[in-house]
Amino acid sequence: MLQLSEHSESIWLSIPKSSLGIASFSYEIRFMFTAIVNNLLKHSCYVTSDTFFNQKSLPDIEEFFQSLQASQKIYQASLSRQLAADLPPDIEQTALKDEPKDWFIKTADFGDECDRILQHRDGEYTQLLEDIARYHQIFQQGYDKIILIRPTTYSGYDIQLTAAMQCLGYTKEQFQFIIVQPIKLYAFHKPTQQIHPIPDIAPAELLKAVTMDALRWYSLRVPLTEVAPINISTAGKPTPQDSLYRVQFAYLRCCTLLQQAQHRGIIQLETNGGGGEISPTEIAAKLMSLADYVWESPDAATLANLLQAVPKILEQSAAEIAPHLVCQHLEAISETSLPWLDSLSLNPQNCALLLAAKQTIFELLENVLAIALPESTFPDSNLRFVKFSED
Protein backbone atom coordinates (compact mmCIF):
# COMPACT_ATOMS: atom_id res chain seq x y z
CA MET A 1 0.00 0.00 0.00
CA LEU A 2 1.01 3.58 -0.58
CA GLN A 3 2.76 5.01 2.46
CA LEU A 4 2.22 8.75 2.74
CA SER A 5 3.43 10.14 6.01
CA GLU A 6 4.65 9.36 9.47
CA HIS A 7 1.88 8.20 11.82
CA SER A 8 0.84 11.41 13.50
CA GLU A 9 -2.24 10.13 15.28
CA SER A 10 -3.46 6.90 16.82
CA ILE A 11 -7.14 6.28 15.99
CA TRP A 12 -9.67 3.72 17.16
CA LEU A 13 -12.27 3.06 14.45
CA SER A 14 -15.67 1.63 15.37
CA ILE A 15 -18.09 0.35 12.72
CA PRO A 16 -21.07 -1.47 14.33
CA LYS A 17 -22.10 -4.71 12.70
CA SER A 18 -24.95 -4.40 10.24
CA SER A 19 -28.37 -5.76 11.11
CA LEU A 20 -29.89 -7.01 7.88
CA GLY A 21 -33.59 -7.50 8.28
CA ILE A 22 -34.02 -4.55 10.63
CA ALA A 23 -33.18 -1.72 8.26
CA SER A 24 -33.61 -1.56 4.51
CA PHE A 25 -31.15 -3.38 2.28
CA SER A 26 -30.19 -0.18 0.50
CA TYR A 27 -29.15 1.30 3.83
CA GLU A 28 -27.37 -1.81 5.08
CA ILE A 29 -25.34 -2.28 1.92
CA ARG A 30 -24.04 1.28 2.01
CA PHE A 31 -23.17 0.96 5.66
CA MET A 32 -21.21 -2.20 4.80
CA PHE A 33 -19.09 -0.20 2.32
CA THR A 34 -17.82 2.06 5.11
CA ALA A 35 -15.20 -0.59 5.90
CA ILE A 36 -13.00 1.19 3.33
CA VAL A 37 -12.56 4.02 5.86
CA ASN A 38 -10.02 1.74 7.49
CA ASN A 39 -8.04 1.73 4.21
CA LEU A 40 -8.08 5.52 4.07
CA LEU A 41 -6.96 6.04 7.64
CA LYS A 42 -3.97 3.75 7.22
CA HIS A 43 -2.46 6.34 4.89
CA SER A 44 -2.17 9.04 7.53
CA CYS A 45 -2.30 7.50 11.00
CA TYR A 46 -2.18 4.36 13.07
CA VAL A 47 -5.66 2.86 13.12
CA THR A 48 -7.20 -0.08 14.94
CA SER A 49 -10.67 -1.38 14.19
CA ASP A 50 -12.98 -2.46 16.99
CA THR A 51 -13.23 -5.86 15.31
CA PHE A 52 -10.03 -6.61 17.22
CA PHE A 53 -11.60 -5.68 20.54
CA ASN A 54 -12.30 -8.97 22.31
CA GLN A 55 -14.14 -9.87 25.47
CA LYS A 56 -10.93 -10.19 27.48
CA SER A 57 -10.17 -6.54 26.75
CA LEU A 58 -13.47 -5.25 28.17
CA PRO A 59 -13.04 -3.24 31.37
CA ASP A 60 -14.40 -4.32 34.74
CA ILE A 61 -17.61 -2.25 34.84
CA GLU A 62 -18.07 -2.50 38.61
CA GLU A 63 -14.49 -1.43 39.28
CA PHE A 64 -14.80 1.44 36.81
CA PHE A 65 -18.09 2.60 38.33
CA GLN A 66 -16.61 2.57 41.83
CA SER A 67 -13.77 4.77 40.61
CA LEU A 68 -16.35 7.35 39.45
CA GLN A 69 -18.36 7.55 42.66
CA ALA A 70 -15.99 10.02 44.32
CA SER A 71 -16.27 12.39 41.35
CA GLN A 72 -18.32 15.56 41.60
CA LYS A 73 -19.60 14.83 38.10
CA ILE A 74 -21.85 11.99 39.28
CA TYR A 75 -24.45 11.94 42.04
CA GLN A 76 -27.05 9.64 43.58
CA ALA A 77 -30.63 10.86 43.71
CA SER A 78 -34.26 9.86 43.26
CA LEU A 79 -34.64 12.50 40.54
CA SER A 80 -32.24 14.16 38.14
CA ARG A 81 -31.25 17.75 38.85
CA GLN A 82 -33.50 18.88 36.02
CA LEU A 83 -36.63 17.18 37.36
CA ALA A 84 -35.91 18.35 40.90
CA ALA A 85 -35.32 21.98 39.89
CA ASP A 86 -38.94 23.08 40.47
CA LEU A 87 -39.31 21.17 43.74
CA PRO A 88 -38.26 22.27 47.26
CA PRO A 89 -34.45 22.30 47.66
CA ASP A 90 -34.59 19.71 50.43
CA ILE A 91 -36.87 17.30 48.56
CA GLU A 92 -34.28 14.51 48.62
CA GLN A 93 -33.93 14.77 52.42
CA THR A 94 -37.68 15.03 53.09
CA ALA A 95 -40.39 13.61 50.81
CA LEU A 96 -37.97 11.43 48.81
CA LYS A 97 -35.79 10.42 51.73
CA ASP A 98 -36.78 6.76 51.64
CA GLU A 99 -37.18 6.49 47.86
CA PRO A 100 -34.69 4.30 45.95
CA LYS A 101 -32.03 6.27 44.09
CA ASP A 102 -30.29 6.17 40.71
CA TRP A 103 -26.75 7.23 39.94
CA PHE A 104 -26.62 10.15 37.46
CA ILE A 105 -23.76 11.70 35.49
CA LYS A 106 -23.87 15.45 34.83
CA THR A 107 -24.07 15.33 31.04
CA ALA A 108 -26.28 18.45 31.07
CA ASP A 109 -23.15 20.46 31.90
CA PHE A 110 -21.80 19.55 28.45
CA GLY A 111 -24.68 20.16 26.08
CA ASP A 112 -27.00 17.24 26.81
CA GLU A 113 -30.70 17.87 27.49
CA CYS A 114 -30.48 16.39 30.97
CA ASP A 115 -28.29 14.28 33.20
CA ARG A 116 -28.18 10.60 32.32
CA ILE A 117 -28.36 7.48 34.49
CA LEU A 118 -25.28 5.29 34.89
CA GLN A 119 -26.80 2.82 37.37
CA HIS A 120 -30.48 2.23 37.98
CA ARG A 121 -31.89 1.99 41.49
CA ASP A 122 -32.16 -1.80 41.13
CA GLY A 123 -28.39 -1.97 40.57
CA GLU A 124 -28.48 -2.52 36.82
CA TYR A 125 -25.82 -0.65 34.83
CA THR A 126 -26.81 1.29 31.72
CA GLN A 127 -25.41 1.01 28.20
CA LEU A 128 -23.99 4.50 28.62
CA LEU A 129 -21.85 3.37 31.57
CA GLU A 130 -20.61 0.34 29.64
CA ASP A 131 -19.72 2.51 26.63
CA ILE A 132 -17.85 5.21 28.53
CA ALA A 133 -15.94 2.53 30.45
CA ARG A 134 -14.92 0.95 27.15
CA TYR A 135 -13.89 4.21 25.49
CA HIS A 136 -12.08 5.39 28.63
CA GLN A 137 -10.01 2.20 28.51
CA ILE A 138 -9.24 2.72 24.82
CA PHE A 139 -7.91 6.21 25.54
CA GLN A 140 -5.89 4.81 28.45
CA GLN A 141 -4.24 2.44 25.97
CA GLY A 142 -2.76 5.44 24.16
CA TYR A 143 -5.26 6.27 21.42
CA ASP A 144 -5.69 9.93 20.51
CA LYS A 145 -9.10 9.79 18.87
CA ILE A 146 -12.13 7.54 18.44
CA ILE A 147 -14.11 7.56 15.20
CA LEU A 148 -17.55 5.96 15.33
CA ILE A 149 -19.42 5.26 12.10
CA ARG A 150 -23.11 5.16 12.91
CA PRO A 151 -26.53 4.57 11.41
CA THR A 152 -28.94 7.50 11.57
CA THR A 153 -30.65 6.16 14.70
CA TYR A 154 -27.56 6.90 16.82
CA SER A 155 -27.44 10.69 16.49
CA GLY A 156 -29.18 11.50 19.80
CA TYR A 157 -27.25 8.93 21.79
CA ASP A 158 -23.94 10.26 20.49
CA ILE A 159 -24.68 13.61 22.18
CA GLN A 160 -25.11 11.79 25.47
CA LEU A 161 -21.96 9.75 24.95
CA THR A 162 -19.80 12.76 24.08
CA ALA A 163 -21.13 14.73 27.07
CA ALA A 164 -20.44 11.81 29.42
CA MET A 165 -16.87 11.48 28.12
CA GLN A 166 -16.38 15.22 28.69
CA CYS A 167 -17.42 14.62 32.28
CA LEU A 168 -14.48 12.23 32.47
CA GLY A 169 -12.11 14.93 31.22
CA TYR A 170 -11.97 14.12 27.49
CA THR A 171 -12.71 16.66 24.75
CA LYS A 172 -15.34 16.72 22.03
CA GLU A 173 -12.55 16.75 19.45
CA GLN A 174 -11.41 13.30 20.58
CA PHE A 175 -14.63 11.87 19.15
CA GLN A 176 -15.81 11.96 15.56
CA PHE A 177 -19.19 10.59 14.58
CA ILE A 178 -20.01 9.76 10.96
CA ILE A 179 -23.76 9.35 10.47
CA VAL A 180 -24.17 7.33 7.28
CA GLN A 181 -27.15 8.07 5.05
CA PRO A 182 -28.78 5.36 2.91
CA ILE A 183 -28.77 4.63 -0.80
CA LYS A 184 -31.75 5.92 -2.79
CA LEU A 185 -32.60 3.81 -5.83
CA TYR A 186 -33.89 5.07 -9.16
CA ALA A 187 -34.82 3.28 -12.37
CA PHE A 188 -35.87 4.10 -15.91
CA HIS A 189 -39.59 3.53 -16.36
CA LYS A 190 -40.12 2.47 -19.97
CA PRO A 191 -43.85 3.27 -20.25
CA THR A 192 -43.36 6.87 -19.15
CA GLN A 193 -39.80 7.25 -20.50
CA GLN A 194 -38.81 8.89 -17.21
CA ILE A 195 -36.55 8.20 -14.24
CA HIS A 196 -38.50 7.37 -11.08
CA PRO A 197 -37.50 6.58 -7.50
CA ILE A 198 -38.18 2.96 -6.60
CA PRO A 199 -38.72 1.29 -3.21
CA ASP A 200 -36.17 -0.96 -1.58
CA ILE A 201 -35.87 -4.26 -3.45
CA ALA A 202 -34.57 -7.66 -2.45
CA PRO A 203 -30.76 -8.07 -2.59
CA ALA A 204 -30.92 -10.81 -5.23
CA GLU A 205 -33.04 -8.65 -7.51
CA LEU A 206 -30.89 -5.56 -7.01
CA LEU A 207 -27.70 -7.47 -7.80
CA LYS A 208 -29.25 -8.68 -11.06
CA ALA A 209 -29.48 -5.07 -12.16
CA VAL A 210 -26.31 -3.60 -10.58
CA THR A 211 -23.06 -5.32 -9.69
CA MET A 212 -21.72 -5.08 -6.16
CA ASP A 213 -18.73 -3.07 -7.44
CA ALA A 214 -21.03 -0.54 -9.10
CA LEU A 215 -23.09 -0.25 -5.91
CA ARG A 216 -19.89 0.33 -3.97
CA TRP A 217 -18.62 2.97 -6.42
CA TYR A 218 -21.84 4.98 -6.51
CA SER A 219 -22.27 4.62 -2.76
CA LEU A 220 -18.78 6.03 -2.11
CA ARG A 221 -18.98 8.64 -4.87
CA VAL A 222 -20.98 11.03 -2.64
CA PRO A 223 -20.23 11.99 1.00
CA LEU A 224 -21.22 9.30 3.49
CA THR A 225 -23.35 11.88 5.30
CA GLU A 226 -25.48 12.47 2.18
CA VAL A 227 -28.00 10.17 0.51
CA ALA A 228 -26.40 8.21 -2.34
CA PRO A 229 -28.57 8.26 -5.50
CA ILE A 230 -28.11 5.20 -7.73
CA ASN A 231 -29.85 4.76 -11.07
CA ILE A 232 -30.03 0.98 -11.43
CA SER A 233 -30.83 1.33 -15.13
CA THR A 234 -27.41 2.81 -15.93
CA ALA A 235 -25.02 2.28 -12.97
CA GLY A 236 -22.05 0.12 -13.85
CA LYS A 237 -23.06 -0.38 -17.46
CA PRO A 238 -20.20 -0.44 -20.04
CA THR A 239 -21.03 2.91 -21.59
CA PRO A 240 -18.96 6.11 -21.91
CA GLN A 241 -21.49 7.87 -19.68
CA ASP A 242 -20.73 5.61 -16.70
CA SER A 243 -17.98 7.06 -14.52
CA LEU A 244 -16.80 3.71 -13.13
CA TYR A 245 -16.57 2.23 -16.60
CA ARG A 246 -14.48 5.20 -17.77
CA VAL A 247 -12.02 4.71 -14.90
CA GLN A 248 -11.74 0.99 -15.65
CA PHE A 249 -11.41 1.67 -19.38
CA ALA A 250 -8.56 4.14 -18.76
CA TYR A 251 -6.72 1.40 -16.87
CA LEU A 252 -7.27 -1.07 -19.72
CA ARG A 253 -5.99 1.43 -22.31
CA CYS A 254 -2.83 2.03 -20.26
CA CYS A 255 -2.19 -1.72 -20.06
CA THR A 256 -2.76 -2.19 -23.78
CA LEU A 257 -0.47 0.67 -24.78
CA LEU A 258 2.29 -0.56 -22.47
CA GLN A 259 2.13 -3.97 -24.08
CA GLN A 260 2.29 -2.37 -27.52
CA ALA A 261 5.38 -0.43 -26.43
CA GLN A 262 6.99 -3.65 -25.26
CA HIS A 263 6.21 -5.43 -28.52
CA ARG A 264 7.86 -2.58 -30.44
CA GLY A 265 10.96 -2.79 -28.27
CA ILE A 266 10.51 0.69 -26.81
CA ILE A 267 10.41 -0.60 -23.24
CA GLN A 268 10.84 -3.87 -21.42
CA LEU A 269 8.19 -4.82 -18.89
CA GLU A 270 9.28 -7.10 -16.09
CA THR A 271 7.11 -8.91 -13.58
CA ASN A 272 7.77 -9.43 -9.92
CA GLY A 273 6.69 -13.06 -10.04
CA GLY A 274 4.86 -12.79 -6.76
CA GLY A 275 1.48 -11.63 -8.02
CA GLY A 276 -0.34 -8.41 -7.25
CA GLU A 277 0.44 -4.83 -8.04
CA ILE A 278 2.81 -2.30 -6.57
CA SER A 279 2.29 1.31 -5.74
CA PRO A 280 3.44 4.46 -7.56
CA THR A 281 5.84 5.09 -4.68
CA GLU A 282 7.78 1.92 -5.50
CA ILE A 283 7.80 2.73 -9.19
CA ALA A 284 9.25 6.15 -8.49
CA ALA A 285 12.53 4.55 -7.44
CA LYS A 286 12.90 3.11 -10.94
CA LEU A 287 11.79 6.14 -12.92
CA MET A 288 12.71 9.79 -13.18
CA SER A 289 10.26 11.93 -11.18
CA LEU A 290 7.29 12.90 -13.32
CA ALA A 291 7.88 16.48 -12.22
CA ASP A 292 11.22 16.47 -14.06
CA TYR A 293 9.70 15.83 -17.47
CA VAL A 294 8.66 18.42 -20.01
CA TRP A 295 5.44 17.03 -21.44
CA GLU A 296 4.50 17.21 -25.09
CA SER A 297 0.82 17.94 -24.45
CA PRO A 298 -1.28 19.83 -21.89
CA ASP A 299 -3.21 16.62 -21.11
CA ALA A 300 0.01 14.79 -20.26
CA ALA A 301 1.14 17.63 -17.98
CA THR A 302 -2.26 17.70 -16.25
CA LEU A 303 -2.22 13.92 -15.83
CA ALA A 304 1.26 14.02 -14.30
CA ASN A 305 0.09 16.65 -11.82
CA LEU A 306 -2.98 14.57 -10.90
CA LEU A 307 -0.85 11.49 -10.24
CA GLN A 308 1.58 13.43 -8.07
CA ALA A 309 -1.35 14.85 -6.08
CA VAL A 310 -2.55 11.40 -4.97
CA PRO A 311 -0.78 11.43 -1.56
CA LYS A 312 -2.39 14.76 -0.65
CA ILE A 313 -5.80 13.55 -1.82
CA LEU A 314 -5.54 10.44 0.34
CA GLU A 315 -4.48 12.45 3.36
CA GLN A 316 -7.38 14.86 2.88
CA SER A 317 -9.80 11.99 2.33
CA ALA A 318 -8.60 10.32 5.54
CA ALA A 319 -8.76 13.54 7.57
CA GLU A 320 -12.32 14.28 6.44
CA ILE A 321 -13.47 10.63 6.26
CA ALA A 322 -14.38 11.40 2.67
CA PRO A 323 -13.92 8.48 0.24
CA HIS A 324 -15.80 10.51 -2.38
CA LEU A 325 -12.64 12.61 -2.81
CA VAL A 326 -10.80 9.51 -4.00
CA CYS A 327 -13.61 8.75 -6.46
CA GLN A 328 -13.53 12.32 -7.76
CA HIS A 329 -9.77 12.13 -8.23
CA LEU A 330 -10.06 8.88 -10.14
CA GLU A 331 -12.67 10.47 -12.37
CA ALA A 332 -10.36 13.43 -13.00
CA ILE A 333 -7.52 11.04 -13.89
CA SER A 334 -9.70 9.15 -16.37
CA GLU A 335 -11.18 12.31 -17.89
CA THR A 336 -7.68 13.67 -18.51
CA SER A 337 -6.00 10.46 -19.57
CA LEU A 338 -8.53 9.17 -22.12
CA PRO A 339 -8.05 12.01 -24.67
CA TRP A 340 -4.28 11.80 -24.18
CA LEU A 341 -4.27 8.01 -24.59
CA ASP A 342 -6.04 8.33 -27.94
CA SER A 343 -3.40 10.67 -29.35
CA LEU A 344 -0.07 9.90 -27.65
CA SER A 345 3.06 8.66 -29.38
CA LEU A 346 4.70 5.67 -27.75
CA ASN A 347 8.09 6.75 -26.41
CA PRO A 348 9.93 6.12 -23.13
CA GLN A 349 8.73 9.37 -21.57
CA ASN A 350 5.06 8.69 -22.28
CA CYS A 351 5.49 5.09 -21.14
CA ALA A 352 6.70 6.35 -17.76
CA LEU A 353 3.47 8.30 -17.43
CA LEU A 354 1.43 5.35 -18.70
CA LEU A 355 2.83 3.03 -16.06
CA ALA A 356 2.36 5.57 -13.27
CA ALA A 357 -1.27 6.10 -14.36
CA LYS A 358 -1.94 2.37 -14.56
CA GLN A 359 -0.53 1.65 -11.12
CA THR A 360 -2.25 4.66 -9.53
CA ILE A 361 -5.68 3.63 -10.85
CA PHE A 362 -5.09 0.11 -9.54
CA GLU A 363 -3.92 1.39 -6.15
CA LEU A 364 -6.90 3.70 -5.63
CA LEU A 365 -9.61 1.51 -7.11
CA GLU A 366 -8.60 -1.91 -5.77
CA ASN A 367 -6.51 -1.26 -2.67
CA VAL A 368 -8.31 1.79 -1.29
CA LEU A 369 -11.91 1.56 -2.52
CA ALA A 370 -11.88 -2.27 -2.78
CA ILE A 371 -13.48 -2.17 -6.23
CA ALA A 372 -12.25 -4.86 -8.59
CA LEU A 373 -10.93 -4.24 -12.05
CA PRO A 374 -12.41 -6.92 -14.35
CA GLU A 375 -9.99 -9.75 -15.08
CA SER A 376 -10.18 -8.94 -18.76
CA THR A 377 -8.41 -5.67 -18.00
CA PHE A 378 -5.28 -7.46 -16.73
CA PRO A 379 -3.08 -8.03 -19.80
CA ASP A 380 -0.18 -8.37 -17.37
CA SER A 381 -1.07 -8.08 -13.70
CA ASN A 382 2.46 -8.28 -12.31
CA LEU A 383 4.21 -5.35 -13.98
CA ARG A 384 7.19 -4.48 -11.84
CA PHE A 385 9.17 -1.72 -13.53
CA VAL A 386 10.18 -0.25 -16.87
CA LYS A 387 13.44 -0.48 -18.73
CA PHE A 388 13.87 1.84 -21.67
CA SER A 389 15.42 0.73 -24.92
CA GLU A 390 19.02 1.72 -25.60
CA ASP A 391 18.03 3.45 -28.84
Side-chain angles (χ1 to χ4, degrees), residues 183-241:
I183 289 171
K184 189 171 184 179
L185 300 176
Y186 295 84
F188 179 72
H189 190 247
K190 291 182 179 179
T192 63
Q193 300 292 297
Q194 293 180 344
I195 300 296
H196 288 290
I198 60 174
D200 211 29
I201 58 179
E205 293 302 315
L206 180 59
L207 292 175
K208 287 180 182 178
V210 187
T211 66
M212 189 65 80
D213 281 329
L215 286 173
R216 182 184 293 269
W217 171 263
Y218 282 99
S219 173
L220 299 175
R221 193 168 174 256
V222 297
L224 296 174
T225 53
E226 297 179 9
V227 173
I230 298 181
N231 184 342
I232 68 171
S233 302
T234 58
K237 301 298 188 292
T239 64
Q241 291 72 38

Side-chain angles (χ1 to χ4, degrees), residues 148 150-151 154-164 177-179:
L148 301 107
R150 302 292 211 191
Y154 273 70
S155 56
Y157 178 68
D158 288 341
I159 295 173
Q160 301 173 30
L161 177 59
T162 305
F177 300 98
I178 309 296
I179 308 300

